Amino acid sequence: MRNKRSINMYNYRRRRKRRNHARGKIYKRLRIGFWILFATVIVLGLGIFSALRFSGEKKIEKEINRPKQTEEGVEEDLVYSDGKTYRYLENSINILFMGIDKEGDMSQIKETGGMGQADAVFLLSMNLDSERIRMIAIPRETVVPVEVYDRNGLYKETRDEQIALQFAYGQDEKKSCELMADAVSHLCYQVPIHKYIAMNMGILPELNDVVGGVRIQADEQVKEMFPDAETGRFYRLHGEEAVTYLQSRDSSQFASSMDRLERQKQYILGFILAARLQMQDDTSLPLNLYEQFKGNYTTNLSADEFTYLAAQAAEMTFSERSLFVVPGEMVQDEVYEKYQVDDDGLFDTVLDVFYERVRGY
Protein backbone atom coordinates (compact mmCIF):
# COMPACT_ATOMS: atom_id res chain seq x y z
CA MET A 1 0.00 0.00 0.00
CA ARG A 2 2.81 2.31 0.90
CA ASN A 3 4.66 1.49 -2.34
CA LYS A 4 1.53 2.15 -4.42
CA ARG A 5 1.05 5.48 -2.70
CA SER A 6 4.69 6.37 -3.34
CA ILE A 7 4.34 5.50 -7.02
CA ASN A 8 1.19 7.63 -7.32
CA MET A 9 2.91 10.54 -5.61
CA TYR A 10 5.90 10.14 -7.89
CA ASN A 11 3.69 10.15 -11.00
CA TYR A 12 1.77 13.20 -9.69
CA ARG A 13 4.98 15.13 -9.18
CA ARG A 14 6.19 14.22 -12.67
CA ARG A 15 2.90 15.39 -14.22
CA ARG A 16 2.96 18.63 -12.22
CA LYS A 17 6.56 19.24 -13.21
CA ARG A 18 5.68 18.74 -16.88
CA ARG A 19 2.69 21.10 -16.54
CA ASN A 20 4.81 23.73 -14.80
CA HIS A 21 7.46 23.36 -17.48
CA ALA A 22 4.82 23.79 -20.18
CA ARG A 23 3.37 26.81 -18.39
CA GLY A 24 6.87 28.26 -18.08
CA LYS A 25 7.36 27.94 -21.83
CA ILE A 26 4.00 29.63 -22.46
CA TYR A 27 4.77 32.48 -20.03
CA LYS A 28 8.21 32.88 -21.56
CA ARG A 29 6.71 33.10 -25.04
CA LEU A 30 4.13 35.59 -23.80
CA ARG A 31 6.85 37.74 -22.23
CA ILE A 32 8.90 37.61 -25.41
CA GLY A 33 5.80 38.41 -27.46
CA PHE A 34 4.96 41.34 -25.20
CA TRP A 35 8.43 42.85 -25.51
CA ILE A 36 8.44 42.32 -29.27
CA LEU A 37 5.06 44.06 -29.49
CA PHE A 38 6.25 46.85 -27.19
CA ALA A 39 9.42 47.35 -29.24
CA THR A 40 7.38 47.32 -32.45
CA VAL A 41 5.07 50.03 -31.11
CA ILE A 42 8.07 52.14 -30.05
CA VAL A 43 9.79 51.70 -33.42
CA LEU A 44 6.59 52.50 -35.30
CA GLY A 45 6.01 55.55 -33.10
CA LEU A 46 9.54 56.79 -33.66
CA GLY A 47 9.18 56.05 -37.35
CA ILE A 48 5.97 58.08 -37.61
CA PHE A 49 7.54 60.90 -35.58
CA SER A 50 10.66 60.88 -37.77
CA ALA A 51 8.57 60.84 -40.94
CA LEU A 52 6.52 63.80 -39.72
CA ARG A 53 9.65 65.73 -38.81
CA PHE A 54 11.23 65.06 -42.19
CA SER A 55 8.08 66.05 -44.07
CA GLY A 56 7.63 69.17 -41.94
CA GLU A 57 11.26 70.17 -42.41
CA LYS A 58 10.95 70.10 -46.20
CA LYS A 59 7.79 72.23 -46.13
CA ILE A 60 9.31 74.80 -43.77
CA GLU A 61 12.50 75.04 -45.84
CA LYS A 62 10.42 75.74 -48.92
CA GLU A 63 8.40 78.37 -47.04
CA ILE A 64 11.29 80.38 -45.62
CA ASN A 65 13.53 80.23 -48.68
CA ARG A 66 11.14 82.13 -50.92
CA PRO A 67 12.83 85.23 -52.38
CA LYS A 68 12.02 88.43 -50.53
CA GLN A 69 10.47 90.99 -52.85
CA THR A 70 9.86 94.72 -52.60
CA GLU A 71 6.73 96.35 -53.97
CA GLU A 72 8.68 96.96 -57.18
CA GLY A 73 9.38 93.25 -57.45
CA VAL A 74 13.13 93.58 -56.85
CA GLU A 75 14.78 91.18 -54.44
CA GLU A 76 16.05 92.99 -51.37
CA ASP A 77 17.50 91.70 -48.11
CA LEU A 78 19.64 94.65 -46.98
CA VAL A 79 18.71 97.52 -44.67
CA TYR A 80 20.82 100.62 -44.07
CA SER A 81 20.75 102.51 -40.77
CA ASP A 82 23.16 105.05 -39.26
CA GLY A 83 25.83 104.22 -41.82
CA LYS A 84 25.59 100.49 -41.07
CA THR A 85 24.32 97.67 -43.26
CA TYR A 86 22.08 94.85 -42.05
CA ARG A 87 20.94 91.67 -43.77
CA TYR A 88 17.75 89.78 -43.00
CA LEU A 89 18.60 86.53 -41.21
CA GLU A 90 18.37 83.55 -43.51
CA ASN A 91 16.68 80.33 -42.39
CA SER A 92 14.38 82.13 -39.98
CA ILE A 93 10.71 81.31 -39.58
CA ASN A 94 8.44 83.89 -37.99
CA ILE A 95 5.27 82.76 -36.24
CA LEU A 96 2.52 84.99 -34.89
CA PHE A 97 0.95 83.75 -31.64
CA MET A 98 -2.40 85.15 -30.51
CA GLY A 99 -4.50 84.53 -27.42
CA ILE A 100 -8.17 85.25 -28.13
CA ASP A 101 -10.72 86.30 -25.50
CA LYS A 102 -13.28 83.85 -26.83
CA GLU A 103 -14.28 80.33 -25.81
CA GLY A 104 -15.68 77.50 -27.89
CA ASP A 105 -15.02 76.10 -31.35
CA MET A 106 -13.40 78.87 -33.39
CA SER A 107 -14.28 77.21 -36.70
CA GLN A 108 -18.02 77.64 -36.05
CA ILE A 109 -17.92 81.46 -36.02
CA LYS A 110 -18.72 82.99 -39.42
CA GLU A 111 -19.62 86.59 -38.61
CA THR A 112 -17.60 89.79 -38.50
CA GLY A 113 -17.29 90.88 -34.89
CA GLY A 114 -17.92 87.41 -33.51
CA MET A 115 -14.32 86.20 -33.39
CA GLY A 116 -13.30 88.06 -30.23
CA GLN A 117 -10.20 90.21 -29.76
CA ALA A 118 -6.52 89.35 -29.60
CA ASP A 119 -5.72 89.82 -25.91
CA ALA A 120 -2.17 88.47 -26.28
CA VAL A 121 0.00 89.09 -29.34
CA PHE A 122 3.54 87.70 -29.69
CA LEU A 123 5.77 87.46 -32.74
CA LEU A 124 8.24 84.59 -32.42
CA SER A 125 11.27 84.12 -34.64
CA MET A 126 13.16 80.81 -34.84
CA ASN A 127 16.52 80.88 -36.58
CA LEU A 128 17.43 77.38 -37.73
CA ASP A 129 21.10 78.26 -38.25
CA SER A 130 21.90 79.86 -34.89
CA GLU A 131 19.34 77.62 -33.11
CA ARG A 132 17.99 80.64 -31.28
CA ILE A 133 14.45 81.74 -30.47
CA ARG A 134 13.55 85.40 -30.01
CA MET A 135 10.15 86.90 -29.35
CA ILE A 136 8.54 90.34 -29.47
CA ALA A 137 5.54 91.04 -27.23
CA ILE A 138 3.06 93.49 -28.75
CA PRO A 139 0.75 95.28 -26.28
CA ARG A 140 -2.91 94.73 -27.23
CA GLU A 141 -3.50 98.51 -27.14
CA THR A 142 -0.79 99.21 -29.74
CA VAL A 143 -2.17 101.74 -32.24
CA VAL A 144 -1.94 100.53 -35.85
CA PRO A 145 -3.94 101.04 -39.06
CA VAL A 146 -6.85 98.60 -38.62
CA GLU A 147 -8.90 97.41 -41.59
CA VAL A 148 -12.59 97.70 -40.77
CA TYR A 149 -15.19 95.37 -42.32
CA ASP A 150 -18.98 95.29 -41.98
CA ARG A 151 -21.00 92.26 -40.85
CA ASN A 152 -21.13 90.98 -44.42
CA GLY A 153 -17.35 90.97 -44.66
CA LEU A 154 -17.20 94.00 -46.96
CA TYR A 155 -14.32 96.43 -46.49
CA LYS A 156 -15.38 99.83 -45.13
CA GLU A 157 -12.28 101.81 -44.17
CA THR A 158 -8.88 101.78 -42.47
CA ARG A 159 -8.48 103.71 -39.23
CA ASP A 160 -6.03 103.88 -36.33
CA GLU A 161 -7.21 101.52 -33.59
CA GLN A 162 -5.87 99.11 -30.98
CA ILE A 163 -4.28 96.13 -32.71
CA ALA A 164 -6.41 93.72 -30.63
CA LEU A 165 -9.47 94.88 -32.58
CA GLN A 166 -8.09 93.77 -35.94
CA PHE A 167 -8.83 90.13 -35.11
CA ALA A 168 -12.50 90.95 -34.51
CA TYR A 169 -12.97 92.27 -38.04
CA GLY A 170 -12.40 88.91 -39.68
CA GLN A 171 -15.48 87.05 -40.89
CA ASP A 172 -13.95 83.69 -39.98
CA GLU A 173 -10.91 82.35 -38.14
CA LYS A 174 -8.64 82.32 -41.19
CA LYS A 175 -9.48 85.88 -42.24
CA SER A 176 -8.99 87.15 -38.68
CA CYS A 177 -5.53 85.59 -38.50
CA GLU A 178 -4.54 86.92 -41.91
CA LEU A 179 -5.65 90.44 -40.95
CA MET A 180 -3.60 90.23 -37.75
CA ALA A 181 -0.55 88.90 -39.60
CA ASP A 182 -0.74 91.80 -42.06
CA ALA A 183 -1.12 94.33 -39.23
CA VAL A 184 1.85 92.95 -37.27
CA SER A 185 4.02 92.72 -40.39
CA HIS A 186 3.18 96.34 -41.24
CA LEU A 187 4.00 97.39 -37.67
CA CYS A 188 7.37 95.58 -37.80
CA TYR A 189 8.56 97.19 -41.03
CA GLN A 190 7.25 94.45 -43.34
CA VAL A 191 8.98 91.56 -41.60
CA PRO A 192 7.56 88.39 -43.20
CA ILE A 193 5.16 86.36 -41.07
CA HIS A 194 5.17 82.80 -42.34
CA LYS A 195 2.80 81.10 -39.91
CA TYR A 196 0.21 81.92 -37.27
CA ILE A 197 -1.48 80.25 -34.31
CA ALA A 198 -4.53 81.74 -32.57
CA MET A 199 -6.04 79.92 -29.61
CA ASN A 200 -9.02 80.68 -27.44
CA MET A 201 -8.07 81.33 -23.83
CA GLY A 202 -10.64 78.82 -22.60
CA ILE A 203 -8.22 75.93 -23.15
CA LEU A 204 -5.55 77.41 -20.88
CA PRO A 205 -6.25 75.26 -17.78
CA GLU A 206 -6.06 72.00 -19.72
CA LEU A 207 -3.14 73.10 -21.89
CA ASN A 208 -1.25 74.26 -18.81
CA ASP A 209 -1.69 70.90 -17.08
CA VAL A 210 -0.71 68.83 -20.13
CA VAL A 211 2.88 70.03 -19.63
CA GLY A 212 2.73 69.40 -15.89
CA GLY A 213 1.99 72.99 -14.86
CA VAL A 214 4.07 76.12 -15.43
CA ARG A 215 6.63 77.46 -12.96
CA ILE A 216 6.59 81.19 -12.19
CA GLN A 217 8.21 83.46 -9.61
CA ALA A 218 5.87 85.32 -7.29
CA ASP A 219 5.96 89.11 -7.05
CA GLU A 220 3.62 91.58 -5.36
CA GLN A 221 1.00 91.18 -8.11
CA VAL A 222 1.04 87.41 -7.72
CA LYS A 223 0.63 87.82 -3.97
CA GLU A 224 -2.51 89.89 -4.60
CA MET A 225 -3.92 87.11 -6.81
CA PHE A 226 -2.80 84.27 -4.54
CA PRO A 227 -2.65 85.52 -0.91
CA ASP A 228 -0.70 82.48 0.31
CA ALA A 229 2.15 83.15 -2.12
CA GLU A 230 5.45 84.51 -0.81
CA THR A 231 7.23 87.16 -2.85
CA GLY A 232 10.36 85.83 -4.53
CA ARG A 233 9.44 82.15 -4.25
CA PHE A 234 8.78 79.92 -7.25
CA TYR A 235 5.39 78.27 -7.70
CA ARG A 236 3.87 75.92 -10.25
CA LEU A 237 0.55 77.03 -11.69
CA HIS A 238 -2.17 74.42 -12.16
CA GLY A 239 -5.54 74.55 -13.91
CA GLU A 240 -7.51 77.75 -13.41
CA GLU A 241 -4.55 79.36 -11.64
CA ALA A 242 -2.99 79.86 -15.08
CA VAL A 243 -6.07 81.81 -16.24
CA THR A 244 -5.99 83.99 -13.14
CA TYR A 245 -2.29 84.65 -13.58
CA LEU A 246 -2.52 85.54 -17.28
CA GLN A 247 -5.76 87.49 -17.45
CA SER A 248 -6.12 89.32 -14.14
CA ARG A 249 -5.69 93.09 -14.16
CA ASP A 250 -6.95 96.05 -12.19
CA SER A 251 -8.80 98.00 -14.87
CA SER A 252 -9.07 100.98 -12.52
CA GLN A 253 -5.29 101.38 -12.67
CA PHE A 254 -3.77 103.18 -15.67
CA ALA A 255 -1.68 100.90 -17.93
CA SER A 256 -2.38 97.82 -15.80
CA SER A 257 -2.38 95.72 -18.97
CA MET A 258 1.38 96.26 -19.24
CA ASP A 259 1.85 94.45 -15.92
CA ARG A 260 -0.26 91.63 -17.35
CA LEU A 261 1.96 91.60 -20.44
CA GLU A 262 5.02 91.07 -18.24
CA ARG A 263 3.28 88.08 -16.63
CA GLN A 264 2.43 86.71 -20.07
CA LYS A 265 6.11 86.91 -21.01
CA GLN A 266 7.15 85.01 -17.88
CA TYR A 267 4.43 82.43 -18.46
CA ILE A 268 5.46 81.78 -22.08
CA LEU A 269 9.06 81.25 -20.98
CA GLY A 270 7.90 78.85 -18.27
CA PHE A 271 5.57 76.99 -20.62
CA ILE A 272 8.30 76.40 -23.21
CA LEU A 273 10.67 75.10 -20.53
CA ALA A 274 7.96 72.79 -19.14
CA ALA A 275 7.11 71.49 -22.61
CA ARG A 276 10.79 70.75 -23.24
CA LEU A 277 10.96 68.58 -20.13
CA GLN A 278 7.81 66.72 -21.16
CA MET A 279 9.21 66.07 -24.64
CA GLN A 280 12.26 64.37 -23.15
CA ASP A 281 9.92 61.59 -21.98
CA ASP A 282 7.29 61.86 -24.69
CA THR A 283 8.39 62.87 -28.18
CA SER A 284 4.79 62.58 -29.39
CA LEU A 285 3.70 65.54 -27.22
CA PRO A 286 3.57 68.11 -30.09
CA LEU A 287 1.40 65.88 -32.27
CA ASN A 288 -0.83 65.00 -29.31
CA LEU A 289 -1.35 68.70 -28.53
CA TYR A 290 -2.09 69.41 -32.18
CA GLU A 291 -4.81 66.74 -32.27
CA GLN A 292 -6.18 67.14 -28.73
CA PHE A 293 -7.07 70.83 -28.95
CA LYS A 294 -8.41 71.00 -32.51
CA GLY A 295 -11.31 73.43 -32.74
CA ASN A 296 -9.91 75.53 -29.90
CA TYR A 297 -7.18 77.01 -32.05
CA THR A 298 -6.61 77.91 -35.67
CA THR A 299 -3.30 77.75 -37.52
CA ASN A 300 -1.84 77.48 -40.99
CA LEU A 301 0.77 75.05 -39.64
CA SER A 302 0.19 71.48 -40.75
CA ALA A 303 0.67 68.62 -38.26
CA ASP A 304 4.07 67.71 -39.69
CA GLU A 305 5.26 71.34 -39.71
CA PHE A 306 4.12 71.77 -36.11
CA THR A 307 5.88 68.55 -35.06
CA TYR A 308 9.12 69.56 -36.80
CA LEU A 309 9.19 73.08 -35.35
CA ALA A 310 8.36 71.88 -31.83
CA ALA A 311 11.22 69.37 -32.00
CA GLN A 312 13.57 72.10 -33.23
CA ALA A 313 12.43 74.55 -30.56
CA ALA A 314 13.16 71.97 -27.85
CA GLU A 315 16.85 72.17 -28.78
CA MET A 316 17.10 75.95 -29.23
CA THR A 317 18.34 78.69 -26.93
CA PHE A 318 15.52 80.67 -25.32
CA SER A 319 15.74 82.77 -22.16
CA GLU A 320 14.35 85.93 -20.60
CA ARG A 321 16.92 87.91 -22.58
CA SER A 322 15.28 86.61 -25.76
CA LEU A 323 12.01 88.41 -24.96
CA PHE A 324 11.38 91.96 -26.16
CA VAL A 325 8.47 94.39 -25.88
CA VAL A 326 7.54 96.87 -28.60
CA PRO A 327 8.99 100.17 -27.29
CA GLY A 328 6.49 102.93 -26.59
CA GLU A 329 4.23 104.41 -23.95
CA MET A 330 0.62 104.10 -22.86
CA VAL A 331 -1.56 107.19 -23.25
CA GLN A 332 -5.15 107.91 -22.31
CA ASP A 333 -7.54 109.38 -24.86
CA GLU A 334 -11.14 110.43 -24.19
CA VAL A 335 -12.30 106.84 -23.69
CA TYR A 336 -9.58 104.21 -24.08
CA GLU A 337 -5.94 103.61 -23.30
CA LYS A 338 -3.73 103.45 -26.35
CA TYR A 339 -0.12 102.37 -26.72
CA GLN A 340 1.89 104.79 -28.85
CA VAL A 341 4.86 103.09 -30.49
CA ASP A 342 8.36 104.56 -30.36
CA ASP A 343 9.11 104.12 -34.07
CA ASP A 344 12.87 104.54 -33.76
CA GLY A 345 13.03 102.15 -30.82
CA LEU A 346 10.92 99.57 -32.65
CA PHE A 347 13.11 99.84 -35.74
CA ASP A 348 16.17 99.06 -33.61
CA THR A 349 14.34 96.10 -32.02
CA VAL A 350 13.40 94.73 -35.45
CA LEU A 351 17.02 95.00 -36.57
CA ASP A 352 18.15 93.23 -33.40
CA VAL A 353 15.68 90.34 -33.74
CA PHE A 354 15.40 89.75 -37.49
CA TYR A 355 18.65 91.07 -39.00
CA GLU A 356 22.41 90.72 -38.69
CA ARG A 357 25.13 93.32 -39.14
CA VAL A 358 27.05 93.05 -42.42
CA ARG A 359 30.67 94.20 -42.47
CA GLY A 360 32.47 95.59 -45.49
CA TYR A 361 29.64 97.59 -47.06
Side-chain angles (χ1 to χ4, degrees):
M1 186 73 177
R2 185 179 303 168
N3 290 338
K4 186 176 181 180
R5 185 180 300 161
S6 298
I7 292 171
N8 290 339
M9 182 62 70
Y10 173 75
N11 290 335
Y12 169 75
R13 288 175 177 171
R14 287 188 64 188
R15 288 195 300 272
R16 188 171 68 174
K17 187 175 181 180
R18 284 198 297 268
R19 284 198 299 269
N20 289 341
H21 182 67
R23 286 196 191 102
K25 285 185 175 180
I26 293 172
Y27 292 150
K28 184 177 181 180
R29 289 171 184 165
L30 286 174
R31 285 196 298 270
I32 293 173
F34 169 79
W35 286 112
I36 290 174
L37 178 62
F38 180 76
T40 301
V41 170
I42 294 296
V43 170
L44 285 174
L46 291 174
I48 293 171
F49 179 71
S50 298
L52 283 171
R53 284 189 60 176
F54 180 77
S55 173
E57 180 180 10
K58 295 305 176 186
K59 290 181 180 179
I60 293 298
E61 285 179 354
K62 184 177 180 180
E63 178 78 24
I64 63 180
N65 288 327
R66 292 177 181 175
K68 186 180 178 183
Q69 303 287 325
T70 65
E71 293 180 357
E72 292 76 23
V74 180
E75 185 174 346
E76 182 183 71
D77 61 1
L78 299 178
V79 171
Y80 306 94
S81 176
D82 295 331
K84 301 172 185 176
T85 304
Y86 299 85
R87 177 183 288 117
Y88 179 76
L89 285 167
E90 296 181 349
N91 289 325
S92 290
I93 180 159
N94 305 323
I95 307 170
L96 180 62
F97 285 88
M98 296 160 281
I100 311 304
D101 63 348
K102 193 80 172 179
E103 296 189 13
D105 191 337
M106 299 178 72
S107 65
Q108 299 303 311
I109 303 172
K110 304 293 181 183
E111 182 183 24
T112 303
M115 293 302 301
Q117 299 180 16
D119 259 2
V121 185
F122 291 86
L123 181 56
L124 177 146
S125 184
M126 297 173 58
N127 187 264
L128 303 177
D129 289 336
S130 65
E131 297 185 341
R132 184 176 64 176
I133 298 174
R134 310 191 91 182
M135 182 179 287
I136 299 179
I138 303 170
R140 70 180 307 283
E141 298 88 356
T142 300
V143 178
V144 298
V146 168
E147 293 185 15
V148 179
Y149 293 79
D150 65 19
R151 289 192 173 275
N152 297 315
L154 299 176
Y155 173 78
K156 290 178 61 179
E157 61 178 329
T158 298
R159 60 175 180 244
D160 288 345
E161 295 281 3
Q162 296 178 351
I163 196 169
L165 296 173
Q166 184 64 91
F167 194 86
Y169 284 113
Q171 199 170 23
D172 57 37
E173 53 183 344
K174 181 180 178 183
K175 181 64 174 177
S176 289
C177 288
E178 290 174 347
L179 288 172
M180 283 294 296
D182 288 344
V184 172
S185 177
H186 177 80
L187 173 69
C188 295
Y189 298 92
Q190 304 304 325
V191 162
I193 296 178
H194 306 100
K195 300 293 181 180
Y196 56 73
I197 300 176
M199 71 171 195
N200 74 56
M201 303 297 271
I203 66 171
L204 263 176
E206 190 175 357
L207 182 62
N208 177 88
D209 291 354
V210 165
V211 297
V214 173
R215 190 167 178 259
I216 55 97
Q217 187 174 22
D219 56 16
E220 289 301 323
Q221 293 180 40
V222 172
K223 189 170 178 59
E224 291 178 8
M225 289 181 275
F226 308 107
D228 293 335
E230 296 180 23
T231 303
R233 287 193 60 183
F234 285 90
Y235 294 90
R236 193 169 297 276
L237 299 173
H238 295 285
E240 292 292 336
E241 292 174 343
V243 179
T244 301
Y245 180 78
L246 286 172
Q247 293 190 315
S248 295
R249 60 172 291 199
D250 184 354
S251 57
S252 66
Q253 296 294 318
F254 176 70
S256 62
S257 63
M258 296 303 293
D259 295 329
R260 181 175 63 182
L261 182 63
E262 288 299 318
R263 295 198 303 273
Q264 291 172 350
K265 285 170 51 184
Q266 185 179 170
Y267 182 87
I268 287 175
L269 179 61
F271 183 89
I272 290 176
L273 294 177
R276 280 179 174 175
L277 290 176
Q278 288 289 97
M279 286 182 64
Q280 291 177 4
D281 298 325
D282 182 10
T283 56
S284 66
L285 177 66
L287 184 58
N288 291 339
L289 291 176
Y290 190 91
E291 296 296 332
Q292 180 177 347
F293 293 104
K294 273 186 175 178
N296 293 294
Y297 70 87
T298 183
T299 183
N300 59 349
L301 282 165
S302 60
D304 52 354
E305 290 172 334
F306 186 82
T307 300
Y308 166 69
L309 290 175
Q312 292 298 109
E315 304 296 329
M316 289 186 172
T317 301
F318 185 62
S319 66
E320 193 170 352
R321 295 173 59 186
S322 307
L323 293 165
F324 302 82
V325 178
V326 169
E329 64 173 344
M330 194 75 76
V331 297
Q332 181 74 53
D333 68 6
E334 295 83 357
V335 181
Y336 301 109
E337 294 177 351
K338 293 186 176 181
Y339 190 78
Q340 299 288 357
V341 175
D342 174 357
D343 292 330
D344 291 337
L346 177 57
F347 184 73
D348 290 339
T349 300
V350 168
L351 288 179
D352 193 12
V353 173
F354 301 100
Y355 289 80
E356 62 182 346
R357 175 85 182 276
V358 180
R359 308 285 180 178
Y361 274 82

